[in-house]
Amino acid sequence: MLRVSVIVLVCVVAFGTLFSLLPSGSGAAARSGVTLQGVQFSLYPEQDPGAVWRFQARQVTIDPLRDENRLDDLGRGERWLHRPGEPETLDLTLRTRRLVIDQDDNLQAQEATMYIPRDCTTLTLRSTADRPVLINQRSGYSAPYVSIDNPSIQAEYDDFTSPFDLSNVQGSQRAGATFQASPDTVCEAGRTVPRHS
């Protein structure tokens, strides 16, 4: 079940109480959900207990009948990793106009840009009419199209899938990919900088 910050839970309980008091034949009773403005919250996926997602959005729509939450105008999306005895580290940032969180805590979007500071990798993912960009909390990323860009690699794939650490990228690689063993730039502290001579 989706676990969010206390403020979101309080709003959901308040809405549920109000919803139960509406007359059964009214048009308002046929609608579900509540919309919140200017929300910040955290998501702790049950399928990925070592991670926490932090979001900031202009608007969040909670739909209990569909068992999903929609974030519009996402101002910030981050995945943080916490390991026992180690400080929490930023694994990736996420930008997209609209994000849907389903009942299994998986994330869906039409387009998304992710940045992995560990190796300065930018992933640009796009959907098709019948297949969204998906971030599965158990298995990682999948999308009909992705562009991967970092100091060593520039490549595009169709039917892309990969775990979060990009250790096993699968898909149909498009022509024109470049791989550089000694690139002109390197990744330092999450930023691409010129290689020192």
Side-chain angles (χ1 to χ4, degrees):
M1 179 177 227
L2 184 64
R3 291 171 288 168
V4 295
S5 63
V6 174
I7 187 168
V8 174
L9 291 176
V10 169
C11 291
V12 170
V13 171
F15 171 77
T17 303
L18 176 63
F19 186 77
S20 67
L21 297 175
L22 291 173
S24 60
S26 74
R31 296 189 297 268
S32 74
V34 62
T35 298
L36 308 172
Q37 304 292 327
V39 176
Q40 297 183 47
F41 70 95
S42 298
L43 170 66
Y44 298 86
E46 292 183 14
Q47 299 180 78
D48 190 10
V52 56
W53 290 83
R54 296 194 174 103
F55 299 107
Q56 179 180 14
R58 181 186 61 80
Q59 180 173 290
V60 176
T61 302
I62 300 169
D63 190 335
L65 293 186
R66 292 186 177 182
D67 204 5
E68 68 179 26
N69 301 317
R70 190 181 75 232
L71 285 65
D72 290 299
D73 294 334
L74 188 69
R76 186 189 73 187
E78 298 173 343
R79 181 177 187 257
W80 290 78
L81 298 178
H82 49 273
R83 310 240 190 277
E86 296 181 14
E88 194 174 58
T89 58
L90 177 63
D91 180 56
L92 66 85
T93 62
L94 169 67
R95 288 184 294 136
T96 185
R97 184 176 177 190
R98 173 174 288 178
L99 187 71
V100 174
I101 306 174
D102 70 16
Q103 69 273 13
D104 296 317
D105 300 341
N106 298 321
L107 314 177
Q108 296 182 25
Q110 295 304 305
E111 292 187 4
T113 301
M114 289 182 283
Y115 185 73
I116 303 172
R118 178 183 65 253
D119 53 13
C120 299
T121 296
T122 299
L123 302 175
T124 304
L125 304 108
R126 296 193 191 113
S127 65
T128 57
D130 59 347
R131 184 177 163 207
V133 171
L134 176 65
I135 300 174
N136 184 297
Q137 302 294 356
R138 187 183 303 276
S139 58
Y141 319 112
S142 66
Y145 166 86
V146 68
S147 167
I148 302 175
D149 188 357
N150 70 28
S152 300
I153 301 169
Q154 288 81 42
E156 297 176 282
Y157 291 85
D158 295 307
D159 298 321
F160 163 77
T161 63
S162 172
F164 286 110
D165 63 3
L166 300 179
S167 60
N168 186 23
V169 171
Q170 299 288 318
S172 176
Q173 185 178 331
R174 293 186 178 186
T178 60
F179 301 88
Q180 301 181 54
S182 298
D184 295 333
T185 59
V186 294
C187 185
E188 291 184 1
R191 294 185 177 183
T192 302
V193 298
R195 179 184 289 276
H196 301 299
S197 46

